[in-house]
Amino acid sequence: MPMEPSPRVWVVLVSASITHGNAEMQDLACRFLIQLEPESPPNYVSLSNLHASSRRWDVVSEVRTMMKERCLTKTTGCSWISINNTTHSFYAADKLHPCSKSIYQLLDDLVLLMNGAAVPHNFENLTWVS
């Protein structure tokens, strides 16, 4: 390249290497990202996830130690859904939503259904409770 690649180029390379299963390229791109953006937690999380998927727990530990030393924390996963003009947000393992018990029961039933288990009773009659 006639110029140095920007962090965005490395992010795209990380994504493409994940899509194509190229762990060596993913590792290289993550390490360049960490050099270019040492204060960006997602770069460390990507590198940690790569090595966790390969069961390289020693490297995972090193990456997490680097994050801790730099006072970096991973952002909690969050999803949103809008129903009847009301937006509901859900965080990973969050039980604070007023319908969380029903939501988690539905998710458990869906997992059973996707895994080929018997269809949960009353599955056809499930509706959103607001």
Side-chain angles (χ1 to χ4, degrees):
M1 281 182 123
M3 66 179 105
E4 289 294 315
S6 70
R8 187 70 198 137
V9 170
W10 291 110
V11 168
V12 170
L13 192 54
V14 168
S15 179
S17 63
I18 291 169
T19 300
H20 296 286
N22 189 335
E24 186 177 332
M25 184 59 66
Q26 182 183 353
D27 181 68
L28 176 72
C30 287
R31 291 185 186 280
F32 269 101
L33 270 171
I34 288 171
Q35 285 179 353
L36 293 171
E37 299 179 325
E39 302 304 317
S40 179
N43 300 337
Y44 296 88
V45 172
S46 292
L47 186 60
S48 177
N49 290 346
L50 165 67
H51 293 295
S53 68
S54 304
R55 300 183 191 277
R56 295 188 56 205
W57 304 116
D58 55 328
V59 181
V60 171
S61 178
E62 288 174 23
V63 172
R64 291 183 181 170
T65 299
M66 284 192 297
M67 287 183 73
K68 187 179 263 187
E69 289 170 351
R70 295 177 176 152
C71 299
L72 301 174
T73 57
K74 180 181 181 240
T75 305
T76 304
C78 181
S79 299
W80 297 271
I81 184 169
S82 291
I83 300 172
N84 298 327
N85 295 322
T86 301
T87 300
H88 302 268
S89 57
F90 303 91
Y91 294 89
D94 181 14
K95 305 284 189 196
L96 296 177
H97 190 278
C99 297
S100 65
K101 186 175 180 181
S102 298
I103 292 167
Y104 280 100
Q105 182 60 56
L106 177 60
L107 290 173
D108 289 343
D109 290 347
L110 287 170
V111 168
L112 288 173
L113 188 63
M114 288 186 291
N115 287 331
V119 176
H121 70 289
N122 293 331
F123 189 78
E124 304 83 24
N125 300 325
L126 291 177
T127 58
W128 174 260
V129 179
S130 55

